[in-house]
């Protein structure tokens, strides 16, 4: 998982990790003699340490502090570390506890559904009577991970093996990011309550909201993350809403970099499809075209000036104020930049405060 030179370069932090965990993190990552690395109580601390040391190396080499940070699931703990929410040791203790609690979940399973939108996945699950299956990860617009009881995930398999959809079982030890992790969430909340969290120095995009953390909600959202969907696709789309945004993956592997490329491509494809008019089909009646992003932006700018007071319909962020005119992002997303939140909101998520 991690190179020898990484642990050699940060010997003090490696020794600190060994003392906290009670085993050699170097041996686990490089040799794994007891084959523990694929067990979540060991996987999570290993990823956290390798990600943290990789980030520290990047800072040492470049001296460049990122404008934003984000992490997928466990990686969010590294993002918060980079933002100054806590130190290396505190983060590792949190991850160690999280891994222990999540490893206690039994009879759970997860699977990736490919070439299917959220709407399609939900429709298939509903038609199959699988209301007890949750959507755990929105990795891209067409790659969604489902999570639930092992028997329910197995029942879902043939439902997603027809037509264009693909079904890939994931090697996990529980139904992560689902309602079945509630016992772990509750216990982690009690553990986290005794941890001090500092004010964030860099905006961190939350897995739960796909928006930057507010300082007073760090503990709440970090706890909810265990049972909530990872809104990764929306997170990347949010970041790409900034001009000249360069997204770089730090740590082990390149999975997220590949997802980012896929999200860029699929977001562009969606924009092109939405721009095309609905053609008449002999099999079904003509549907009324959905109002395009260009039309929504034009109507917004005609009705509301810069500085309009607005509120979010998807979260409690208080009253906000628009900082720019509305624009079209990715060729399909109508959005406006707001003060007080350092980012864009979809127009569909906002309502003016009269």
């Amino acid at each position: 998982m991690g190179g020898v030179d990484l642990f050699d370069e940060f010997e003090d932090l490696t020794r600190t990790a060994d003392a906290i965990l009670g085993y050699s993190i170097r041996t686990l990552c490089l040799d794994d003699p007891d084959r523990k690395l694929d067990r979540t109580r060991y996987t999570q601390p290993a990823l956290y340490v390798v990600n943290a040391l990789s980030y520290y190396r990047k800072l040492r080499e470049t001296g460049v502090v990122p404008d934003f940070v984000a992490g997928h699931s466990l990686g969010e703990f590294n993002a918060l570390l980079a933002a100054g929410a806590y130190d290396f040791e505190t983060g590792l203790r949190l991850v160690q506890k999280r891994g222990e609690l999540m490893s206690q979940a039994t009879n759970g399973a997860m699977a990736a559904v490919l070439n299917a939108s959220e709407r399609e996945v939900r429709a298939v699950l509903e038609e199959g009577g699988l209301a007890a299956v949750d959507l755990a990860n929105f990795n891209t617009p067409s790659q969604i991970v489902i999570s639930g009881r092992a028997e329910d995930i197995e029942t879902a398999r043939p439902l997603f093996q027809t037509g264009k959809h693909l079904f890939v079982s994931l090697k996990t030890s529980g139904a992560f990011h689902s309602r079945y992790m509630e016992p772990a969430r509750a216990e982690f909340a009690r553990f986290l309550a005794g941890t001090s969290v500092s004010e964030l120095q860099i905006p961190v995009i939350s897995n739960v909201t796909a928006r930057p953390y507010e300082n007073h909600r760090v503990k709440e959202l970090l706890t909810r993350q265990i049972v909530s969907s990872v809104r990764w696709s929306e997170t990347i789309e949010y970041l790409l809403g900034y001009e000249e945004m360069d997204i770089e993956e730090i740590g082990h592997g390149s999975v997220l970099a590949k997802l980012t490329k896929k999200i860029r491509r699929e977001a562009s494809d969606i924009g092109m499809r939405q721009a095309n008019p609905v053609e008449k089909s002999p099999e079904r009646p003509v549907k009324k075209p959905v109002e395009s992003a260009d039309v929504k932006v034009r109507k917004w700018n005609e009705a509301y000036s810069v500085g309009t007071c607005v509120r979010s319909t998807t979260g409690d962020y208080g009253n906000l104020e628009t900082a720019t005119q509305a624009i079209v992002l990715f060729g399909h997303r109508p959005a406006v930049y707001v003060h007080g939140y350092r980012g864009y909101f979809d127009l569909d998520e906002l309502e003016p405060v009269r």
Side-chain angles (χ1 to χ4, degrees):
M1 178 178 285
V4 176
D5 57 339
L6 192 62
F7 297 112
D8 290 341
E9 186 175 344
F10 298 95
E11 291 183 0
D12 290 345
L13 290 179
T14 299
R15 283 194 295 268
T16 296
D18 291 350
I20 292 172
L21 298 172
Y23 55 81
S24 170
I25 191 69
R26 179 198 300 261
T27 299
L28 175 67
C29 292
L30 300 181
D31 303 319
D32 191 21
D34 300 317
R35 299 186 180 280
K36 295 179 177 178
L37 198 53
D38 62 349
R39 293 158 56 183
T40 196
R41 66 183 301 159
Y42 294 99
T43 308
Q44 294 194 33
L47 283 171
Y48 173 84
V49 172
V50 170
N51 289 343
L53 300 188
S54 298
Y55 177 71
Y56 292 147
R57 170 186 282 177
K58 188 71 174 180
L59 283 181
R60 179 178 290 179
E61 291 175 348
T62 68
V64 176
V65 176
D67 296 314
F68 292 87
V69 285
H72 188 292
S73 191
L74 179 279
E76 189 159 84
F77 285 79
N78 287 104
L80 288 165
L81 170 67
Y86 39 67
D87 58 23
F88 174 84
E89 296 90 335
T90 299
L92 182 55
R93 293 183 191 280
L94 292 177
V95 168
Q96 180 184 35
K97 185 66 173 180
R98 181 180 187 265
E100 290 174 355
L101 293 172
M102 292 175 70
S103 70
Q104 294 170 11
T106 59
N107 194 38
M110 302 177 74
V113 179
L114 310 180
N115 301 329
S117 67
E118 176 185 353
R119 180 179 298 179
E120 290 173 316
V121 172
R122 292 192 186 280
V124 169
L125 292 175
E126 182 178 354
E127 292 171 6
L130 293 172
V133 173
D134 291 337
L135 276 57
N137 300 347
F138 296 95
N139 288 335
T140 79
S142 69
Q143 183 186 125
I144 296 171
V145 174
I146 58 176
S147 181
R149 294 185 295 251
E151 58 268 28
D152 289 337
I153 298 301
E154 191 57 34
T155 299
R157 178 188 297 276
L159 304 181
F160 289 106
Q161 290 181 322
T162 60
K164 66 176 183 177
H165 302 152
L166 296 175
F167 182 96
V168 181
S169 297
L170 302 182
K171 190 175 182 181
T172 60
S173 55
F176 303 150
H177 296 292
S178 76
R179 72 191 78 177
Y180 303 101
M181 301 307 297
E182 175 56 28
R185 184 211 64 78
E187 183 60 32
F188 187 70
R190 287 189 283 271
F191 183 81
L192 186 57
T195 301
S196 296
V197 176
S198 301
E199 184 172 336
L200 302 180
Q201 303 303 305
I202 306 171
V204 180
I205 311 303
S206 165
N207 283 182
V208 177
T209 66
R211 292 291 185 273
Y213 268 93
E214 297 169 280
N215 282 301
H216 69 282
R217 299 187 69 197
V218 171
K219 290 185 179 181
E220 171 206 343
L221 294 178
L222 199 55
T223 301
R224 282 176 55 192
Q225 189 223 53
I226 294 176
V227 296
S228 299
S229 303
V230 176
R231 297 169 63 183
W232 190 250
S233 182
E234 191 176 345
T235 291
I236 297 301
E237 288 193 34
Y238 174 85
L239 291 172
L240 292 175
Y242 290 87
E243 293 184 4
E244 300 181 1
M245 176 63 73
D246 182 23
I247 299 177
E248 181 177 357
E249 181 174 4
I250 303 295
H252 175 69
S254 59
V255 172
L256 299 184
K258 293 176 181 177
L259 288 181
T260 296
K261 290 182 180 179
K262 190 172 178 62
I263 291 167
R264 284 181 186 270
R265 183 172 63 252
E266 292 183 2
S268 176
D269 290 344
I270 290 172
M272 292 179 62
R273 289 198 301 272
Q274 290 182 344
N276 292 330
V278 177
E279 297 182 357
K280 186 174 181 179
S281 168
E283 291 82 19
R284 59 187 179 185
V286 175
K287 294 182 179 180
K288 181 180 179 180
V290 176
E291 191 171 62
S292 72
D294 289 327
V295 172
K296 289 182 179 180
V297 165
R298 177 176 56 77
K299 288 183 176 180
W300 178 277
N301 289 333
E302 289 176 351
Y304 308 111
S305 60
V306 175
T308 296
C309 189
V310 296
R311 70 165 65 93
S312 169
T313 60
T314 61
D316 184 14
Y317 305 112
N319 288 342
L320 305 167
E321 183 180 296
T322 62
T324 65
Q325 286 193 318
I327 62 173
V328 178
L329 299 176
F330 315 118
H332 75 279
R333 179 181 171 192
V336 65
Y337 191 89
V338 299
H339 287 302
Y341 205 69
R342 295 196 65 182
Y344 285 92
F345 269 89
D346 287 356
L347 295 185
D348 294 335
E349 297 178 7
L350 294 177
E351 62 181 15
V353 178
R354 302 293 183 182

